[in-house]
């Protein structure tokens, strides 16, 4: 066995046990001594990790491991102080000013690259949510050594006690609030390493400099407890998720890049909480009320996030009454954002809509700017799997089905197995829907309730859909107090006890 020091164009690399992929000339030229190669076993992707990127990540994880060990000697009160100091600094206008400047620069650079800035802007509302979330962790009653259960035996007993998990790795999209939310793992005694995308890296660095590090120092927490990987390279994310010292890897975002990160972590033996794609489904039942459907559609499209309405299914027998209600809700959502929505209709469903919708030209706000498109277009059934990543103009797919059962089949086939809602006044229909739909989040109204802080009063670290499998022993909302393991402590009172 020897170290990999070079690659050659055309070199075959085995993956998946019985398949090979060839090294490209570009990869062979780029690979240098000290670099690393990760082979994704699912699809044969060859991920190049330059030595300098690996070194940055290695230093961050090493510091976090040290910080995690040192955190054991820190009191719960000191951890509470950290969250208060962090929150207070973000709430202080003088401290926040340079963070706001950094965020404005990030937004300008993202716009120059034609990138979406909807989630990047650190608005007053986002700032307030970050402060509230941090203070929520300050006031949380979570104990790192909480007794979960006691089992009494004759002459001895066993306590099951909550214990910290270790170092948690986060890779997330350009949403600055996630940076503060994910510090919640410190509440339960864990350390954390972040890697954030290029769009928000400047904002994150400013938060670290002006709020995070001072808060750690003021509260007496080890500096290594929270680490930011100071690199925007995708390879840094690959290096982080392939580091077996992580106790948990969390990927926020959607699409192929997040799925690939999950694959890297899994094959490296690192447990992963993955949110690969989002997009909610709303199904109108046979007993749906038109006004309720209109409101549910409108309030599920207030902004584009993972729990935004993506597909609406309406039974053919109720189409004449419910489709106008659906369209009214869609248009109301667009009007609330001062724009026009965009509709996709599954092939075979167009006959249930006014023909003029497919001829109407509208201005749609895309990340690249305003473009003129048809209000409604037809797409094949397989495209129900597409998550519409809209910028400002609400975008959604409509499918007309025979009944709720067919809608469930389509949802279980094409959806990301994430969020589903049934609009119906019939309790039996709801029970049947809940039993049949393959999703961790099921409701009877608007879909935007799927959020840890909003639904559970606990800052959310991540949401997991069921595309990659269900979570073991916990729900699909990952919060700071759910990042723990269990230790067992035996107390023997009768030392004549034996097996």
């Amino acid at each position: 066995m020897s170290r990999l020091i070079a690659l050659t164009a055309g070199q075959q690399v085995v993956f998946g046990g019985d398949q090979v992929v060839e090294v490209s000339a570009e990869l062979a030229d780029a690979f240098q001594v000290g670099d690393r190669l990760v082979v994704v076993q699912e699809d044969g992707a060859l991920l190049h990790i330059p030595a300098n990127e690996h070194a940055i990540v290695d230093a961050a994880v090493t510091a976090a491991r040290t910080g995690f060990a040192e955190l054991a000697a820190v009191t719960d009160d000191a951890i509470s102080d950290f969250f208060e100091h962090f929150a207070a600094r973000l709430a202080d206008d003088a401290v926040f000013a340079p963070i706001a400047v950094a965020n404005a620069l990030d937004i300008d650079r993202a716009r120059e690259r034609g990138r979406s800035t909807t989630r990047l802007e650190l608005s007053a509302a986002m700032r307030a949510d970050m402060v509230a979330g941090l203070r929520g962790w300050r006031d949380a009653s979570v104990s790192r050594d909480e007794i979960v259960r006691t089992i009494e035996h004759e002459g001895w007993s066993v306590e099951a006690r909550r214990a910290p998990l270790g170092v948690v790795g986060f890779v997330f999209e350009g949403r600055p609030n996630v940076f503060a939310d994910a510090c919640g793992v410190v509440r339960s005694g864990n350390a954390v390493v972040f890697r954030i995308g290029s769009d928000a890296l400047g904002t994150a660095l400013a938060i670290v400099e002006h709020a995070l590090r001072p808060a750690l120092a003021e509260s007496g927490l080890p500096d290594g407890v929270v680490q930011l990987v100071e690199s925007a390279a995708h390879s840094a994310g690959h290096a982080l998720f392939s580091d077996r010292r992580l106790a948990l890897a969390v990927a926020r975002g959607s699409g192929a890049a997040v799925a690939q990160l999950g694959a890297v972590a899994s094959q490296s033996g690192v447990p992963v909480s993955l949110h690969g794609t989002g997009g909610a489904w709303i199904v109108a039942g046979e007993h749906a009320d038109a006004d309720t459907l209109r409101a549910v559609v409108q309030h599920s499209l207030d902004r584009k996030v993972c729990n935004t309405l993506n597909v609406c299914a309406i039974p053919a027998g109720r189409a004449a009454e419910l489709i106008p209600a659906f369209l009214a809700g869609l248009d109301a959502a667009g009007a609330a954002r001062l724009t026009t929505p965009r509709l996709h209709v599954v092939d075979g469903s167009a006959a249930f809509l006014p023909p003029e919708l497919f001829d109407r030209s509208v201005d749609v706000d895309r990340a690249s700017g305003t473009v003129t498109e048809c209000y409604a277009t037809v797409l094949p059934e397989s495209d129900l799997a597409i998550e519409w990543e809209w910028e400002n103009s609400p975008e959604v797919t409509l499918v007309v089905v025979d009944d709720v059962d067919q809608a469930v089949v389509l949802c279980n086939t094409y959806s990301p197995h994430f969020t589903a809602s049934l609009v119906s006044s019939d309790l039996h229909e709801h029970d049947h829907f809940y039993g049949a739909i393959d999703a961790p989040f099921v409701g009877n109204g608007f879909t935007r309730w799927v959020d840890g802080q909003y639904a559970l009063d606990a800052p959310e670290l991540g949401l997991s859909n069921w595309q990659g499998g269900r979570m073991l022993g916990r729900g699909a909302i990952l919060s700071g107090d759910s990042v723990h393991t269990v230790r067992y402590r035996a107390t023997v009172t009768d030392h004549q006890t034996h097996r």
Side-chain angles (χ1 to χ4, degrees):
M1 186 172 65
S2 59
R3 295 192 65 84
L4 179 67
I5 59 173
L7 295 172
T8 57
Q11 179 180 345
Q12 291 190 330
V13 178
V14 178
F15 73 96
D18 61 352
Q19 300 178 78
V20 295
V21 62
E22 291 188 353
V23 174
S24 68
E26 181 182 14
L27 174 57
D29 289 341
F31 196 89
Q32 303 293 320
V33 175
D35 291 358
R36 298 186 176 221
L37 184 70
V38 173
V39 183
V40 181
Q41 296 301 310
E42 287 186 1
D43 58 10
L46 303 179
L47 308 179
H48 176 209
I49 302 176
N52 64 310
E53 297 295 337
H54 178 266
I56 292 171
V57 171
D58 180 72
V61 176
T62 299
R65 289 275 292 180
T66 301
F68 171 67
E70 294 173 345
L71 193 60
V74 174
T75 66
D76 285 343
D77 286 343
I79 293 176
S80 296
D81 289 343
F82 159 67
F83 286 109
E84 172 53 30
H85 288 305
F86 195 176
R89 286 186 161 275
L90 289 179
D92 186 315
D93 289 340
V95 173
F96 190 77
I99 298 174
V101 170
N103 185 244
L105 291 173
D106 277 345
I107 291 172
D108 289 342
R109 284 191 288 262
R111 284 175 175 159
E112 289 173 359
R113 298 196 299 271
R115 304 271 292 174
S116 171
T117 61
T118 302
R119 306 181 192 186
L120 177 58
E121 181 182 358
L122 213 173
S123 64
M126 182 183 288
R127 178 186 174 191
D129 285 345
M130 291 169 70
V131 172
L134 290 168
R135 286 186 167 143
W137 286 122
R138 176 200 64 188
D139 299 333
S141 59
V142 177
S143 170
R144 291 173 288 168
D145 194 34
E146 180 181 355
I147 298 175
V148 179
R149 182 187 178 199
T150 301
I151 304 94
E152 297 288 351
H153 301 279
E154 185 176 350
W156 67 296
S157 63
V158 177
E159 291 175 343
R161 307 173 74 111
R162 183 193 297 266
L165 193 64
V167 176
V168 181
F170 277 91
V171 172
F172 58 97
E173 76 280 21
R175 295 176 64 183
N177 60 314
V178 176
F179 190 83
D181 288 350
C183 284
V185 299
V186 178
R187 173 79 272 176
S188 45
N190 301 286
V192 59
V193 179
F194 296 99
R195 183 268 174 188
I196 189 169
S198 58
D199 288 351
L201 182 57
T203 304
L205 289 169
I207 291 173
V208 169
E209 178 182 355
H210 299 286
L212 175 63
R213 282 183 182 153
L216 288 169
E218 290 165 354
S219 57
L221 266 62
D223 183 65
V225 166
V226 182
Q227 291 289 307
L228 175 65
V229 174
E230 297 187 13
S231 171
H234 290 295
S235 57
H238 302 146
L240 179 60
F241 272 33
S242 60
D243 194 316
R244 296 189 179 187
R245 293 175 294 175
L246 295 186
L248 175 67
V250 181
R252 292 279 294 263
S254 62
V258 171
Q260 187 176 76
L261 282 167
V264 169
S266 295
Q267 71 183 40
S268 301
V270 178
V272 61
S273 178
L274 189 66
H275 179 47
T277 57
W281 280 53
I282 290 176
V283 177
E286 298 294 340
H287 301 275
D289 175 75
D291 289 338
T292 300
L293 179 64
R294 179 192 183 282
V296 168
V297 169
Q298 177 182 350
H299 299 315
S300 298
L301 288 168
D302 60 311
R303 61 189 288 246
K304 173 53 191 160
V305 282
C306 62
N307 52 30
T308 298
L309 169 62
N310 196 66
V311 174
C312 184
I314 293 177
R318 299 291 311 283
E321 179 185 4
L322 295 182
I323 285 181
F326 161 79
L327 293 173
L330 177 60
D331 287 339
R337 300 185 64 87
L338 304 178
T339 187
T340 306
R342 181 72 167 81
L343 176 63
H344 303 271
V345 183
V346 171
D347 191 19
S349 301
F352 293 89
L353 284 87
E356 62 92 12
L357 296 182
F358 298 89
D359 298 323
R360 182 197 304 175
S361 294
V362 294
D363 290 333
V364 179
D365 299 325
R366 300 290 186 191
S368 57
T370 302
V371 296
T372 300
E373 301 179 12
C374 285
Y375 177 92
T377 50
V378 177
L379 46 67
E381 179 184 295
S382 59
D383 282 354
L384 283 168
I386 295 176
E387 177 185 2
W388 303 112
E389 293 286 358
W390 49 272
E391 177 69 13
N392 184 50
S393 299
E395 192 163 7
V396 67
T397 297
L398 174 68
V399 59
V400 177
V401 294
D402 294 335
D403 50 29
V404 172
D405 285 340
Q406 186 189 9
V408 168
V409 170
L410 291 175
C411 185
N412 289 347
T413 302
Y414 297 110
S415 84
H417 300 264
F418 185 52
T419 304
S421 187
L422 175 70
V423 177
S424 173
S425 60
D426 186 86
L427 293 178
H428 295 292
E429 199 168 30
H430 278 289
D431 288 342
H432 178 72
F433 181 78
Y434 182 81
I437 203 75
D438 188 23
F441 304 104
V442 184
N444 69 338
F446 81 123
T447 60
R448 291 271 285 106
W449 66 271
V450 180
D451 175 270
Q453 188 160 341
Y454 185 76
L456 303 183
D457 293 327
E460 171 199 306
L461 308 183
L463 294 169
S464 298
N465 52 21
W466 283 357
Q467 279 184 315
R470 305 185 182 198
M471 299 298 103
L472 174 63
R474 67 170 178 83
I477 294 178
L478 180 67
S479 188
D481 58 359
S482 61
V483 182
H484 68 273
T485 187
V486 175
R487 299 175 74 189
Y488 297 93
R489 186 172 184 176
T491 301
V492 178
T493 55
D494 180 0
H495 290 285
Q496 297 306 312
T497 301
H498 60 89
R499 295 290 295 267

